[in-house]
Amino acid sequence: MVRDPLATEDSPELQPVLDALDDPECRRIVRQLDEPMTASEISTQCDIPTSTTYRKLERLTDASILSEKTAIRTDGHHTSEYSLAFEEVSVYLDEGRQFEVSISRPTQSAEEQLAGLWAEVRKET
């Protein structure tokens, strides 16, 4: 399943975000993602076993810190690529003195917005 946190709200659940940011290997992945990468590329770049990499990528996408997109390949073997889905993460106290988290997202180009809309249409058909 390809997950795009840019299509979701800016206030994800607090605990998954804190858990992901508390994980040293998740932080290492975030630091290495200058451009979209596959799980195997991330595994190699971060020197993390592939099975562990997949678990960390799931944790990061569930927390809305990474986005996962399908990279279409000419050989027909499509793969997922992961990229950063945030510019800033803020944890704060709301008016009821409850902890909240807010994630500011990068600005999307018109092409990226159209790709997102098309992906949503494909899900519905």
Side-chain angles (χ1 to χ4, degrees):
M1 176 169 113
V2 177
R3 293 167 281 191
D4 182 7
L6 300 178
T8 64
E9 75 281 353
D10 285 340
S11 298
E13 293 293 319
L14 175 66
Q15 198 59 52
V17 172
L18 294 177
D19 291 343
L21 294 176
D22 186 46
D23 186 315
E25 290 170 328
C26 286
R27 290 194 309 268
R28 187 178 332 154
I29 290 169
V30 168
R31 284 192 302 270
Q32 293 297 320
L33 275 174
D34 292 333
E35 59 188 44
M37 297 170 74
T38 65
S40 63
E41 291 169 335
I42 292 168
S43 176
T44 301
Q45 184 79 15
C46 295
D47 194 29
I48 300 172
T50 304
S51 59
T52 302
T53 299
Y54 279 107
R55 285 195 312 275
K56 302 305 178 178
L57 291 172
E58 182 174 5
R59 174 177 267 183
L60 288 162
T61 54
D62 287 348
S64 300
I65 293 172
L66 297 184
S67 64
E68 176 184 1
K69 303 277 182 170
T70 300
I72 307 299
R73 308 249 171 141
T74 56
D75 64 4
H77 294 86
H78 309 313
T79 187
S80 291
E81 287 187 336
Y82 299 87
S83 58
L84 295 180
F86 74 98
E87 289 181 345
E88 182 177 288
V89 176
S90 300
V91 176
Y92 60 93
L93 283 173
D94 67 9
E95 293 173 2
R97 308 283 300 160
Q98 298 295 315
F99 282 102
E100 293 289 328
V101 64
S102 174
I103 296 180
S104 63
R105 307 285 179 200
T107 305
Q108 289 186 302
S109 69
E111 182 179 295
E112 291 169 327
Q113 291 175 14
L114 182 58
L117 288 172
W118 182 245
E120 291 298 316
V121 168
R122 285 188 13 218
K123 280 190 228 175
E124 299 296 323
T125 58

